[in-house]
Amino acid sequence: MAEAIRKENEQLVVPDHVVIPFIEGDGVGREIMPVCRQVVDKALSMAYHGDRAIEWKEVLAGEKAFRETGDWLPEETMDAFRRYLVGIKGPLTTPVGEGIRSLNVALRQTLDLYVCLRPVRWFKGVVSPVKHPEKVDMVIFRENTEDIYAGIEWKQGTPEAQKFLRFLTDEMHVKNIRFPESSAFGVKPVSVEGTERLVRSAIEYALAHKLPSVTLVHKGNIMKFTEGGFKQWGYALAEREFPDRTTLPGAEANGKVVIKDVIADAFLQNTLLVPEEYSVVATLNLNGDYISDQLAAMVGGIGIAPGANINYTGGHAIFEATHGTAPAIAGKNVANPSSLILSSVMMLEYMGWHEAANRITRAMERTLEKGRATPDLARFMPEGEPLGTAQFGEALIQEL
């Protein structure tokens, strides 16, 4: 009988037969999620011969949920993720003009999934806009609950915006708002606790995977107390909690993780010039949004970029396709399922099922190296063989 994953004594306890809730997703989600599940099930069968398996439990969110329940994100869905700890989701539509600001942000904030984990690497055979995509091999730890994504803002011309303006000018004596009466306002919270738990997770990841460095990416030269605070608190955390396992640039590493920092705009330039200088990156929410998508483009596009939202303290994690719903190609059997499939690899690794995860990764490597890919990638490959969504899944299964 399949059971729920649980957290005991700060360790994830994963039954051999486990329940994994999944959200099919909107648009192309209806095509890529079945392919992902088929690939995962086959990999599990080949790796463990029935000793380990997943019982998939569908839960609703997005357009499908709204059609069936009248709710974009039913409470039953949240209850399932709370109970089973680990789940996976396809891309979701964000309601326009009504409902929640963003379903993805709602999931992250409700479950306090404070790390957005985005590993970025190149697969041989995939055409890239840069000369040496093989040098791009990074893991992004993007803070997931604070910054401007907290959603604290007021629309221009509303009584709330006027009230906030009066507070700024009358009580805080702010004088440098260029056009005060026509301005909208937003608040950017960045906390010590939020910074520390993100940076702690990034350092622990680097140590566990024997990676050389953690780079704090920030814009502290301009936002001195928010992003500047992120930098200062990150360094202080490393010095206080990992004094014998971390060091600073210029010192002899001797197996220690080097903690360094760089201004966000310089980092974006450096990733094009010297990407090999970075391995684990810890950054704030908005910076992480920009950075993870640029790095994905450098290795062939967001279509093969996996992602996860994780609370390492409580164990909750939702793995996801990082791209959108792509309604223009939905139902045409051309969508690329790679992002979701590689996210399922991350899920299996998180669960400790490494043999199955490695099988899928190696199958992806062999399939893409042969030039067999969905049309978005195959059209750029010399002698690329375009495959439909379902056919690409079959090609992966053949390589397992």
Side-chain angles (χ1 to χ4, degrees), residues 118-121 135-140 205 211 267 270-272 274-281 291 295 298:
R118 293 284 295 271
V120 184
R121 57 152 291 188
K135 293 182 179 181
V136 181
D137 190 2
M138 303 181 210
V139 180
I140 311 303
Y205 185 97
L211 296 172
F267 175 79
N270 291 346
T271 56
L272 292 169
V274 285
E276 64 273 19
E277 292 187 2
Y278 303 103
S279 55
V280 178
V281 174
I291 287 167
L295 292 175
M298 291 169 63

Side-chain angles (χ1 to χ4, degrees), residues 8 19 30 33 38 54 59 62 78 109 128 255 271 277 340 353 360 367 373 393 399:
E8 291 182 0
V19 177
R30 292 186 287 273
M33 182 59 77
Q38 290 165 9
I54 289 174
V59 294
M78 300 306 304
Q109 293 187 345
S128 163
T271 56
E277 292 187 2
L340 190 62
W353 292 7
I360 298 173
T367 303
E399 295 289 351

Side-chain angles (χ1 to χ4, degrees), residues 322-387:
T322 59
H323 54 75
T325 58
I329 62 170
K332 297 182 179 180
N333 192 37
V334 295
N336 188 347
S338 298
S339 173
L340 190 62
I341 290 170
L342 291 171
S343 295
S344 76
V345 169
M346 295 175 66
M347 181 182 75
L348 294 171
E349 291 172 341
Y350 184 72
M351 293 162 56
W353 292 7
H354 296 286
E355 173 58 29
N358 292 339
R359 280 179 179 265
I360 298 173
T361 300
R362 291 194 297 266
M364 184 75 72
E365 290 171 343
R366 290 192 290 265
T367 303
L368 294 174
E369 187 173 358
K370 292 176 180 178
R372 308 189 74 197
T374 46
D376 58 316
L377 299 180
R379 60 181 172 157
F380 298 115
M381 295 173 167
E383 302 180 0
E385 179 187 352
L387 302 175

Side-chain angles (χ1 to χ4, degrees), residues 92-307:
L92 291 173
T93 297
T94 293
V96 177
E98 60 176 330
I100 323 177
R101 294 167 61 93
S102 166
L103 292 171
N104 292 322
V105 172
L107 283 166
R108 295 165 188 168
Q109 293 187 345
T110 302
L111 295 171
D112 196 25
L113 306 174
Y114 57 85
V115 170
C116 180
L117 186 64
R118 293 284 295 271
V120 184
R121 57 152 291 188
W122 178 66
F123 285 89
K124 190 174 182 180
V126 176
V127 176
S128 163
V130 299
K131 290 183 177 180
H132 294 288
E134 71 280 359
K135 293 182 179 181
V136 181
D137 190 2
M138 303 181 210
V139 180
I140 311 303
F141 277 73
R142 168 190 173 190
E143 203 289 318
N144 224 3
T145 64
E146 298 189 318
D147 203 347
I148 63 171
Y149 287 77
I152 307 169
E153 60 176 355
W154 297 278
K155 185 179 179 181
Q156 179 272 331
T158 61
E160 293 80 9
Q162 291 300 312
K163 184 177 181 180
F164 189 69
L165 174 62
R166 288 195 297 273
F167 168 75
L168 290 177
T169 54
D170 297 347
E171 297 190 37
M172 302 303 292
H173 308 294
V174 172
K175 301 183 184 300
N176 56 347
I177 302 173
R178 182 62 58 86
F179 303 107
E181 296 302 325
S182 64
S183 291
F185 298 96
V187 176
K188 177 188 177 78
V190 178
S191 69
V192 175
E193 293 90 343
T195 297
E196 287 186 345
R197 65 183 185 174
L198 178 88
V199 175
R200 180 183 299 113
S201 299
I203 294 174
E204 289 174 344
Y205 185 97
L207 289 167
H209 293 83
K210 295 181 171 54
L211 296 172
S213 67
V214 172
T215 303
L216 309 175
V217 179
H218 60 91
K219 196 66 178 158
N221 56 330
I222 302 299
M223 291 170 275
K224 299 183 184 300
F225 304 124
T226 51
E227 304 223 358
F230 176 86
K231 167 192 168 181
Q232 295 168 5
W233 303 326
Y235 274 121
L237 180 281
E239 183 178 1
R240 184 176 71 251
E241 295 190 10
F242 303 92
D244 300 324
R245 292 185 286 173
T246 62
T247 188
L248 298 176
E252 285 292 329
N254 293 324
K256 297 180 180 180
V257 173
V258 176
I259 309 298
K260 54 186 177 178
D261 76 279
V262 64
I263 301 297
D265 43 337
F267 175 79
L268 291 171
Q269 174 180 253
N270 291 346
T271 56
L272 292 169
L273 299 174
V274 285
E276 64 273 19
E277 292 187 2
Y278 303 103
S279 55
V280 178
V281 174
T283 190
L284 299 99
N285 209 334
L286 182 61
N287 293 338
D289 202 350
Y290 299 148
I291 287 167
S292 54
D293 281 9
Q294 178 192 295
L295 292 175
M298 291 169 63
V299 296
I302 201 167
I304 55 171

